[in-house]
């Protein structure tokens, strides 16, 4: 039988949580509300009759966004105005049926910026101020073709680039092409469907309201904002995450490295590598790569059809190291370890999540054993896009075998210096020793016995962290009111022992801020290194991990001034015992994890709860006023712990 737990703090708004038997009744005093500039209080708008169609994918004034605009590529909103969808949008720019390949054409000058170096990364880019994007009750989704071809993507990018300078799998921004942030933006009234990464993503956005939006069928996160200021998510539903992911991450690595192979073959037609003393020329490597990509497609039911079974996802679950309902992170990528008090500034400011449900977030993270650069440098060997060189694909038993992906990676590693600076080789770390190991059988056998490895990452060697409902890192002033997180599930395997036995194995991920392998855990709400957090009626129910810890509310890494109340129930794990030497903690349930936290009052209570209540909320019934909360500073309370089993 599951257990429910209540965490209660002296709330600044006088919230009273009363639990009697199996029912929880919440009474709260009214809170002061303000409406941000541009925020509507209506629950549905469809003002298409009053606006003309946009005449360009880069409109300069209020207009209707039609399917025709999206057929040529990303719609760029850089001028103030109200932009309204005219219909459901299926994003499939420059399709193969029209002679394209789903990426910008050389003739499309609108997409010459570095932001599009890896293709159409968004359906809509917002990079201006005072912009309202009204989805009009409609939905944006990727076509199956674009979903398969563009494996890095967000429906709405609230920034001029998906990455800040110096980060990401390519050079997306430079001093000559700086990131342009979005300010005073409202995204409202509609649905964001099938996407290979995010529903909404943004960097350094200021004054953003996401209102009355449903986000579902995403592989990484529904809503993900890095380094935002005054970001408010109101009356939204996030989930379920994708359950029918047709391919593993190998396909995206092949797509991203293909332009490098093409460029090298064009510049150096006689270029080659050796495997088992046998030369393989660039034209053959390119042909094998193209064959896998071009023979892979999805049928009418979304099932993969391919001549290369190694890229087929057998479970349909996302295989990345981390999957989230929502993320509010510091400036820059969230792929490294959880922010702690020593490694991140507090620049994630004024975050509000109100009247919102996060539900059915699930994944099966795959850990990749990275080949380290050498025995003294435990950074992983990667190709120029940052994809891990997965040696396992190129070895069968003790024999080196030809493989289209690793062949391409070795080929680019050997010849990347032969192509123009347009192709960034700075992330390339596959060593000459590795190239030589695979060229000669005797060296390959020695490699198998002596090679150093590094663990704890996924196929891009992002630090694997598991499944989260909501993650908040290094934030100042976070307010969650009437938020429900339900049905989170992680079926990922236990961590590898190849990098050393036990949780303190020496060769774990270099960016990790916590010991051991973390990709198999599940956490309802994680608040790290954050100041002034207010929780008003936060409900977490149904948190499961098959091979890792299941946590309800976790507050840690120097967080302070936490007030409010939260209910946690129905936590579970699968395997409670792990093989000896496994580099992670034995799976167990933890309703509340409070570590290195100051200025917080705590009381916990346990009661019977067999299943999660039905927390679905009709959007039409959700009030659309936007709550703005100020910082909670200087709270000094005595910690009181009480436990009672009913």
């Amino acid at each position: 039988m599951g257990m429910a737990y209540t965490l209660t703090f002296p709330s600044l708004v006088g919230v009273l949580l009363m639990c009697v038997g199996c029912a929880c009744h919440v009474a709260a005093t009214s809170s002061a509300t303000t409406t941000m500039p541009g925020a509507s209080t209506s629950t549905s708008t469809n003002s298409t009759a009053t606006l003309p169609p946009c005449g360009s994918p880069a409109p300069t004034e209020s207009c209707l966004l039609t399917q025709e605009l999206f057929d040529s590529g990303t719609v760029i909103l850089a001028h103030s105005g109200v932009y309204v969808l005219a219909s459901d949008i299926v994003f499939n720019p420059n399709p193969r049926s029209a002679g394209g390949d789903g990426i910008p054409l050389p003739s499309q000058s609108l997409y010459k910026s570095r932001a599009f170096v890896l293709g159409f990364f968004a359906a809509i880019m917002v990079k201006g101020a005072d912009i309202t994007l009204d989805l009009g009750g409609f939905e944006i989704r990727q076509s199956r073709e674009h979903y398969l071809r563009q494996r890095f993507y967000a429906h709405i990018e609230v920034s001029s680039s998906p990455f800040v300078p110096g980060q990401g799998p390519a050079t997306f921004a430079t001093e000559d092409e700086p990131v342009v942030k979005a300010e005073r933006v409202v995204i409202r009234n509609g649905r964001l469907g099938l996407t290979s990464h995010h529903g909404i993503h943004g960097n350094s956005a200021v004054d953003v309201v996401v209102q009355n939006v449903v986000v579902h069928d995403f592989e990484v996160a529904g809503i993900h904002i890095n380094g935002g200021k005054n970001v408010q998510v109101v009356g939204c539903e996030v989930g379920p995450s994708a359950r029918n992911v047709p391919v593993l991450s190998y396909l995206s690595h092949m797509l991203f490295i293909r332009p490098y192979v093409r460029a090298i073959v064009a510049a150096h037609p006689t270029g080659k590598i050796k495997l088992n003393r046998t030369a393989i020329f660039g034209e053959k490597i390119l042909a094998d790569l193209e064959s896998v990509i071009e023979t892979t497609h999805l049928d009418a039911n979304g099932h993969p059809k391919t001549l290369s079974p190694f890229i087929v996802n057998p479970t349909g679950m996302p295989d990345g190291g981390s999957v989230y309902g929502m993320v509010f992170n510091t400036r820059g990528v969230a792929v490294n370890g959880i922010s702690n008090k020593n490694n991140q500034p507090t620049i994630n400011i004024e975050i509000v999540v109100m009247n919102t449900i996060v539900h059915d977030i699930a994944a099966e993270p795959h850990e990749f054993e990275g080949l380290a650069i050498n025995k003294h440098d435990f950074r992983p060997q990667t190709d120029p896009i940052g994809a891990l060189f997965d040696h396992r694909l190129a070895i069968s038993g003790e024999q080196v075998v030809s493989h289209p992906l690793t062949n391409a990676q070795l080929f680019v590693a050997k010849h990347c210096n032969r192509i123009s600076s347009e192709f960034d080789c700075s992330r390339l770390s596959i060593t000459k020793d590795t190239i030589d190991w695979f060229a000669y059988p005797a060296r390959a056998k020695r490699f198998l016995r002596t090679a150093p490895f590094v663990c704890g990452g996924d196929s891009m060697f992002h630090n694997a962290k598991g499944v989260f409902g909501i993650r908040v890192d290094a934030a100042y002033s976070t307010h969650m009111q009437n938020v429900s997180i339900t049905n989170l599930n992680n079926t990922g395997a236990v961590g590898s022992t190849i990098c050393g036995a036990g949780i303190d194995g020496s060769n774990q991920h270099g960016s990790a801020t916590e010991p051991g392998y973390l990709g198999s855990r599940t956490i309802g709400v994680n608040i790290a290194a954050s100041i002034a957090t207010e929780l008003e009626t936060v409900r977490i129910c149904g948190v499961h991990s098959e091979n890792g810890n299941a946590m309800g509310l976790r507050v840690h890494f120097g967080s302070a001034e936490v007030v409010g109340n939260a209910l946690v129930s129905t936590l579970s794990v699968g395997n409670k015992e792990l093989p000896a030497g496994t580099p992670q903690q034995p799976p167990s349930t933890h309703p509340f994890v409070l570590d290195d936290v100051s200025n917080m009052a705590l009381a916990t209570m346990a009661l019977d709860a067999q299943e999660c209540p039905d927390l679905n909320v009709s959007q039409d019934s959700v009030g659309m006023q936007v709550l703005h909360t100020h910082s909670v500073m200087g709270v000094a309370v005595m910690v009181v712990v009480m436990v009672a089993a009913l």
Side-chain angles (χ1 to χ4, degrees):
M1 180 173 294
M3 302 298 291
Y5 304 83
T6 303
L7 174 64
T8 305
F9 310 94
S11 171
L12 296 185
V13 294
V15 175
L16 175 63
L17 181 64
M18 299 176 291
C19 292
V20 180
C22 295
C24 291
H25 306 279
V26 180
T29 62
S30 60
S31 301
T33 61
T34 60
T35 302
M36 281 185 58
S40 167
T41 58
S42 90
T43 59
S44 178
T45 63
N46 195 335
S47 54
T48 58
T50 62
L51 292 175
C54 301
S56 161
T60 58
E61 58 186 2
S62 299
C63 57
L64 287 179
L65 302 173
T66 62
Q67 176 69 59
E68 182 180 8
L69 293 177
F70 294 92
D71 289 343
S72 61
T74 301
V75 170
I76 300 174
L77 304 182
H79 299 272
S80 62
V82 178
Y83 303 91
V84 184
L85 290 190
S87 67
D88 288 338
I89 300 299
V90 178
F91 192 63
N92 191 28
N94 299 337
R96 299 174 71 188
S97 61
D101 198 19
I103 61 177
L105 301 174
S107 60
Q108 293 183 291
S109 58
L110 184 61
Y111 308 117
K112 291 295 186 183
S113 75
R114 296 291 306 177
F116 295 94
V117 64
L118 293 183
F120 290 115
F121 63 90
I124 299 173
M125 174 201 292
V126 182
K127 65 171 187 177
D130 299 303
I131 292 171
T132 294
L133 173 60
D134 193 331
L135 303 178
F138 297 114
E139 178 174 278
I140 304 175
R141 65 182 183 274
Q142 280 183 291
S143 71
R144 288 194 173 99
E145 178 182 342
H146 193 256
Y147 171 71
L148 198 64
R149 290 289 186 263
Q150 186 67 38
R151 302 299 296 153
F152 175 79
Y153 170 87
H155 288 309
I156 302 169
E157 181 67 40
V158 192
S159 171
S160 65
S161 170
F163 292 97
V164 299
Q167 294 187 345
T171 302
F172 289 86
T174 64
E175 291 184 2
D176 294 331
E177 290 186 39
V179 175
V180 179
K181 65 183 179 182
E183 299 183 78
R184 299 183 298 281
V185 173
V186 176
I187 302 167
R188 67 188 184 197
N189 301 335
R191 300 173 65 88
L192 301 175
L194 181 67
T195 167
S196 59
H197 252 60
H198 300 98
I200 299 171
H201 181 271
N203 291 300
S204 303
V206 178
D207 294 335
V208 174
V209 175
V210 181
Q211 181 182 57
N212 222 19
V213 174
V214 176
V215 189
H216 62 98
D217 285 331
F218 49 87
E219 293 186 27
V220 178
I223 298 172
H224 184 156
I225 303 295
N226 296 319
K229 181 177 181 180
N230 198 14
V231 177
Q232 308 190 16
V233 177
V234 183
C236 292
E237 178 182 346
V238 178
S241 58
R243 294 293 197 282
N244 188 26
V245 181
V247 293
L248 298 173
S249 53
Y250 294 130
L251 179 61
S252 65
H253 302 341
M254 299 177 84
L255 288 163
F256 289 153
I257 203 169
R258 178 169 60 173
Y260 283 80
V261 179
R262 286 175 172 172
I264 293 170
V265 170
H268 185 48
T270 60
K272 62 186 177 182
I273 59 171
K274 284 186 178 181
L275 291 181
N276 286 333
R277 297 182 183 274
T278 300
I280 304 179
F281 286 89
E283 289 186 351
K284 167 65 172 170
I285 293 170
L286 179 58
D288 290 345
L289 198 65
E290 299 275 18
S291 176
V292 174
I293 294 171
E294 297 307 320
T295 59
T296 300
H297 65 279
L298 301 183
D299 64 18
N301 296 316
H303 299 141
K305 298 296 182 182
T306 181
L307 299 178
S308 305
F310 78 92
I311 66 173
V312 175
N313 186 346
T315 68
M317 302 296 287
D319 66 334
S322 308
V323 176
Y324 311 91
M326 291 188 281
V327 183
F328 302 98
N329 184 46
T330 58
R331 183 177 183 270
V333 294
V335 301
N336 297 320
I338 297 288
S339 297
N340 62 32
K341 61 184 179 182
N342 298 318
N343 73 345
Q344 292 283 0
T346 306
I347 56 174
N348 191 19
I349 303 171
E350 299 283 0
I351 306 301
V352 172
V353 182
M354 180 180 176
N355 297 342
T356 289
I357 297 172
V358 177
H359 66 96
D360 297 288
I361 311 300
E364 188 169 295
H366 290 190
E367 182 184 20
F368 283 72
E369 302 157 352
L371 179 63
I373 290 177
N374 57 51
K375 291 183 178 181
H376 306 288
D377 186 345
F378 283 94
R379 290 175 298 164
Q381 295 193 35
T382 61
D383 69 17
I385 299 299
L388 197 70
F389 177 72
D390 189 356
H391 65 284
R392 298 172 298 182
L393 298 176
I395 296 174
S396 178
E398 289 193 352
Q399 299 298 316
V400 171
V401 295
S402 178
H403 190 279
L405 175 55
T406 52
N407 286 358
Q409 290 175 315
L410 290 169
F411 180 69
V412 172
K414 185 174 182 179
H415 300 289
C416 206
N417 61 348
R418 295 178 179 269
I419 53 179
S420 73
S421 58
E422 174 188 353
F423 293 89
D424 187 354
C425 299
S426 63
R427 294 165 184 81
L428 178 63
S429 59
I430 299 172
T431 66
K432 183 179 183 301
D433 284 342
T434 298
I435 297 170
D436 289 344
W437 276 333
F438 287 90
Y440 303 101
R443 295 181 182 179
K445 290 181 180 180
R446 186 165 62 250
F447 155 76
L448 290 172
R449 294 191 298 268
T450 63
F453 294 95
V454 58
C455 298
D458 58 19
S459 67
M460 291 292 290
F461 218 68
H462 301 156
N463 182 211
K465 293 176 285 294
V467 173
F468 294 68
I470 300 176
R471 172 185 166 190
V472 179
D473 273 28
Y476 177 84
S477 185
T478 301
H479 186 99
M480 299 185 195
Q481 181 182 34
N482 191 27
V483 176
S484 296
I485 298 98
T486 66
N487 300 325
L488 311 182
N489 187 26
N490 187 333
T491 55
V494 298
S496 171
T497 59
I498 196 172
C499 291
I503 194 169
D504 295 319
S506 59
N507 302 354
Q508 291 299 320
H509 197 286
S511 78
T513 53
E514 305 163 80
Y517 178 64
L518 308 170
S520 59
R521 67 184 177 181
T522 310
I523 303 177
V525 175
N526 194 91
I527 299 170
S530 296
I531 308 298
T533 300
E534 188 171 7
L535 309 175
E536 297 185 47
T537 316
V538 174
R539 297 175 292 254
I540 303 167
C541 184
V543 178
H544 177 80
S545 173
E546 193 63 24
N547 292 296
N549 287 331
M551 307 181 197
L553 172 65
R554 187 184 190 209
V555 186
H556 61 129
F557 280 150
S559 293
E561 285 106 35
V562 182
V563 299
N565 62 78
L567 171 70
V568 176
S569 65
T570 320
L571 308 181
S572 60
V573 296
N575 298 320
K576 296 184 179 180
E577 295 184 4
L578 300 178
T582 302
Q584 63 183 69
Q585 298 174 345
S588 57
T589 59
H590 304 272
F592 303 103
V593 179
L594 309 168
D595 184 25
D596 189 17
V597 183
S598 61
N599 292 347
M600 180 175 67
L602 164 65
T604 63
M605 186 168 55
L607 57 90
D608 291 337
Q610 294 182 335
E611 60 184 17
C612 298
D614 182 6
L615 297 175
N616 292 327
V617 176
S618 169
Q619 284 186 292
D620 290 338
S621 68
V622 176
M624 287 294 100
Q625 284 185 308
V626 180
L627 178 67
H628 183 83
T629 181
H630 293 284
S631 307
V632 183
M633 295 299 296
V635 179
V637 295
M638 181 178 297
V639 176
V640 180
V641 179
M642 297 179 293
V643 180
L646 301 181

